[in-house]
Amino acid sequence: MTDRLDGNAIAGTLQAVFGTEMTTATGVCGHCGDRNRLGALAVYLAGPGTVARCPGCDTVLLVLVEVRGVTCVDALGFADLNPAA
């Protein structure tokens, strides 16, 4: 089992990908409907990519993988994602 971190561990990557501070953005889990800030997600770094899971139901919400210097993002686990106001 890998070490679980919070979403603040990927703050720099999220800012590089989305172009704005995202740890205070709010996302809604597409599985259980929990609404959380991205900084509260359960993050796992020890893999071929970074995985962020819902802290309520453990569903994968976000996957970040770097391929040839480009960060690829899969955010299909979110039902809604809103940057902080």
Side-chain angles (χ1 to χ4, degrees):
M1 192 70 180
T2 59
D3 292 330
R4 177 181 170 162
L5 303 170
D6 68 23
N8 294 303
I10 58 171
T13 303
L14 292 173
Q15 178 141 9
V17 168
F18 292 100
T20 188
E21 160 59 36
M22 290 296 289
T23 59
T24 56
T26 303
V28 177
C29 176
H31 179 73
C32 73
D34 270 4
R35 180 178 303 274
N36 290 287
R37 291 192 174 176
L38 270 58
L41 300 181
V43 172
Y44 300 89
L45 301 174
T50 298
V51 175
R53 294 178 172 268
C54 174
C57 71
D58 210 36
T59 294
V60 174
L61 300 177
L62 181 71
V63 178
L64 302 163
V65 179
E66 188 171 323
V67 179
R68 295 186 185 111
V70 175
T71 301
C72 302
V73 179
D74 177 346
L76 292 176
F78 286 109
D80 193 26
L81 181 59
N82 294 303

